[in-house]
């Protein structure tokens, strides 16, 4: 079982103005994030616009990323797809290039929503690979909530050792922690509270634009320096509230660009923030410079 504690940064995919991937900046970002002290990088994350990348593009990013990372932090690759055979194929490729874990959404579009169907889905993938599966609870995007009863069944699978919880419900999050210690927080605005509850690590999109602050927050909480942690959290929170309540990925990418990380470009069908939203984002980021 891979140790996914700490800050696993859900990494952006840098795009050029025409929507093509800028691999040079991608490699530069990996260096910047590792230099900031992140414990892991999630390649092809939702923040990296995984739904709008082809399988070939993902595979190329993962190969390039694994070579550049070269064991300096953990590698989590998203291998989600609607077709189970494709998930297996993507997963085996990611395992083959050195991924430590795989992040896999439930089959979110008119797929099975019953527990038996979801267990069968993950079970088929589990049988085809030998590294950790990070399941994904993000009902606001998939329409599927992973219940505690379902999680109890999933963690019985050989490789289903983690679940990323992006729902933002701290009650359910703490219920998950009663079932497994392999819980990773994915809701930006609850990060400090999930760490205080005992969550060992996070998969964090907002860390794209404040990687050093994200690592510092984790270190302060784990060192029991709570007053300092909350002082830092108060500086982080305005922008986190903004990205969580606005257009998430365009907001994260624009915030990253403003703070020296990436191009700020999105790939269609996503669009950049409007002028008013952009000004509001810039105001929300001011506290990070205070």
């Amino acid at each position: 079982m891979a140790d996914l504690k700490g800050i696993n940064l859900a990494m952006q995919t840098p795009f050029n103005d025409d929507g093509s991937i800028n691999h040079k900046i991608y490699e530069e970002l990996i260096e910047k994030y590792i230099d900031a002290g992140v414990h892991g990088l999630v390649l092809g994350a939702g923040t990296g616009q995984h739904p709008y990348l082809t399988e070939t593009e993902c595979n190329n990013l993962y190969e390039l990323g694994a070579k550049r990372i070269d064991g300096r932090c953990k590698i989590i690759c998203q291998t989600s797809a609607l077709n189970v055979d494709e998930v297996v194929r993507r997963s085996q490729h990611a395992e083959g290039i050195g991924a430590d874990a795989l992040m896999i959404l439930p089959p979110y579009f008119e797929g099975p929503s019953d527990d038996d169907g979801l267990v069968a889905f993950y079970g088929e993938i589990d049988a085809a690979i030998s590294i950790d599966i990070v399941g994904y609870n993000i009902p606001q995007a998939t329409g599927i909530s992973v219940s505690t009863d379902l999680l109890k069944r999933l963690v019985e699978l050989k490789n289903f050792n983690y679940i990323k919880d992006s729902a933002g419900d701290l009650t359910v999050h703490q219920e998950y922690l009663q079932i497994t210690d392999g819980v990773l927080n994915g809701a930006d605005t609850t990060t400090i509270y999930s760490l205080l509850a005992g969550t060992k690590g996070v998969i964090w999109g907002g860390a794209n634009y404040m990687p050093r602050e994200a690592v510092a927050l984790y270190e302060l909480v784990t060192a029991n320096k709570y007053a300092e942690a909350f002082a830092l959290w108060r500086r982080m929170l305005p922008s986190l509230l903004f990205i969580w309540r606005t257009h998430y990925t365009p907001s994260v990418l624009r915030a990253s660009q403003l703070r020296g990380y990436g191009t700020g470009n999105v790939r269609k069908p996503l669009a950049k923030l409007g002028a008013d939203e952009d000004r509001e984002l810039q105001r929300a980021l001011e506290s990070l410079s205070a």
Side-chain angles (χ1 to χ4, degrees):
M1 179 174 174
D3 186 359
L4 302 183
K5 69 181 180 184
I7 303 299
N8 299 289
L9 189 150
M11 188 173 164
Q12 61 175 298
T13 303
F15 295 104
N16 297 308
D17 291 339
D18 64 358
S20 60
I21 298 172
N22 189 315
H23 292 93
K24 179 176 183 293
I25 292 179
Y26 175 71
E27 291 193 81
E28 291 172 354
L29 284 170
I30 288 173
E31 293 299 328
K32 288 182 177 182
Y33 291 144
I34 291 176
D35 184 61
V38 302
H39 305 88
L41 287 170
V42 184
L43 309 180
T47 315
Q49 294 187 242
H50 180 272
Y52 311 123
L53 299 173
T54 68
E55 181 177 353
T56 298
E57 286 176 324
C58 284
N59 288 346
N60 289 339
L61 284 173
Y62 301 168
E63 291 167 11
L64 183 61
K67 183 178 180 180
R68 172 63 67 171
I69 292 165
D70 193 26
R72 291 178 291 167
C73 71
K74 291 293 190 291
I75 302 171
I76 303 171
C77 293
Q78 176 158 207
T79 57
S80 301
L82 293 176
N83 180 285
V84 181
D85 291 338
E86 182 179 340
V87 180
V88 169
R89 186 172 66 241
R90 285 173 176 257
S91 298
Q92 290 176 334
H93 175 269
E95 181 177 4
I97 57 92
D100 296 289
L102 310 167
M103 188 169 72
I104 303 174
L105 285 162
Y108 51 88
F109 185 74
E110 296 188 2
S113 58
D114 62 290
D115 287 5
D116 288 344
L118 292 168
V119 171
F121 169 78
Y122 281 110
E124 184 169 347
I125 301 161
D126 182 80
I129 51 94
S130 58
I131 59 175
D132 292 327
I133 293 173
V134 181
Y136 204 160
N137 183 49
I138 184 167
Q140 62 268 38
T142 63
I144 297 171
S145 293
V146 178
S147 68
T148 52
D149 287 341
L150 174 57
L151 183 58
K152 288 174 184 176
R153 294 178 63 184
L154 290 172
V155 297
E156 292 178 357
L157 297 172
K158 175 170 58 78
N159 299 303
F160 195 106
N161 293 320
Y162 288 96
I163 183 164
K164 177 187 178 185
D165 181 19
S166 295
D169 186 329
L170 278 170
T171 298
V172 173
H173 195 81
Q174 291 174 96
E175 289 175 331
Y176 282 176
L177 286 166
Q178 305 305 302
I179 298 168
T180 175
D181 64 357
V183 181
L184 302 172
N185 185 61
D188 299 59
T189 56
T190 65
T191 303
I192 192 170
Y193 305 105
S194 68
L195 291 173
L196 290 170
T199 302
K200 63 164 43 175
V202 301
I203 294 179
W204 198 350
N208 276 281
Y209 65 85
M210 49 180 173
R212 294 187 184 279
E213 291 86 349
V215 171
L217 182 74
Y218 173 78
E219 291 177 344
L220 288 169
V221 172
T222 54
N224 300 328
K225 296 181 179 180
Y226 302 128
E228 294 174 57
F230 273 102
L232 174 57
W233 181 249
R234 285 190 290 272
R235 293 174 49 224
M236 302 168 82
L237 188 57
S239 61
L240 293 174
L241 291 171
F242 178 88
I243 65 172
W244 197 253
R245 291 301 190 196
T246 316
H247 308 292
Y248 186 84
T249 297
S251 298
V252 170
L253 297 186
R254 174 59 173 151
S256 299
Q257 179 190 24
L258 288 166
R259 304 199 77 225
Y261 299 97
T263 66
N265 291 322
V266 294
R267 176 176 276 188
K268 296 182 292 186
L270 296 186
K272 292 184 177 182
L273 300 179
D276 290 343
E277 291 172 329
D278 196 277
R279 284 190 290 270
E280 187 178 349
L281 172 61
Q282 293 188 50
R283 286 194 294 270
L285 289 169
E286 288 175 359
S287 60
L288 288 174
S289 301

